[in-house]
């Protein structure tokens, strides 16, 4: 699970497994997602579930898509006072 602000800053992280992707490990160390990915998240205006690893909004590393064929992402926008304050991204290995 990731809690992400509009600028891609990781405000909260809860992961129950090792991250094998060096790129993802760097994001976790920096507590920051890239701007392009953050912009995609901010385009989500209502809860989107069962996003596959082939979708550009997936939270799974693109280079590891073959490993996570059954991986799905759910993106929940955080709305407060009419403003899109960020997102919660939930990941699972089954629908």
């Amino acid at each position: 699970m990731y809690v992400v602000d509009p600028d891609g800053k990781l405000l909260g992280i809860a992961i129950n497994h090792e991250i094998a992707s060096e790129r993802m490990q760097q994001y976790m160390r920096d507590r920051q997602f890239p701007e392009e990915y953050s912009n995609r998240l901010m385009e989500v205006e209502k809860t989107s579930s069962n996003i596959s690893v082939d979708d550009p909004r997936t939270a799974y590393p693109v280079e590891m898509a073959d490993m996570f064929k059954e991986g799905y992402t759910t993106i929940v926008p955080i709305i407060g006072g009419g403003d899109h304050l960020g997102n919660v991204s939930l990941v699972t290995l089954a629908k």
Side-chain angles (χ1 to χ4, degrees), residues 3-5 7-13 24-33:
V3 179
V4 187
D5 80 358
D7 297 320
K9 183 176 180 183
L10 292 166
L11 303 175
I13 303 168
M24 290 297 290
Q25 289 176 4
Q26 187 64 45
Y27 297 157
M28 298 305 111
R29 283 191 295 271
D30 295 345
R31 297 188 67 83
Q32 180 73 40
F33 278 138

Side-chain angles (χ1 to χ4, degrees), residues 54-89:
D54 300 320
D55 189 297
R57 299 170 298 166
T58 186
Y60 288 96
V62 174
E63 66 273 12
M64 300 179 80
D66 287 343
M67 261 177 84
F68 296 109
K69 289 182 195 250
E70 294 297 316
Y72 295 93
T73 301
T74 297
I75 300 170
V76 182
I78 302 168
I79 309 293
D83 294 325
H84 193 165
L85 304 174
N87 295 287
V88 174
S89 293

Side-chain angles (χ1 to χ4, degrees), residues 45-57:
E45 296 180 358
K46 63 180 185 173
T47 299
S48 294
S49 57
N50 296 324
I51 298 169
S52 75
V53 295
D54 300 320
D55 189 297
R57 299 170 298 166

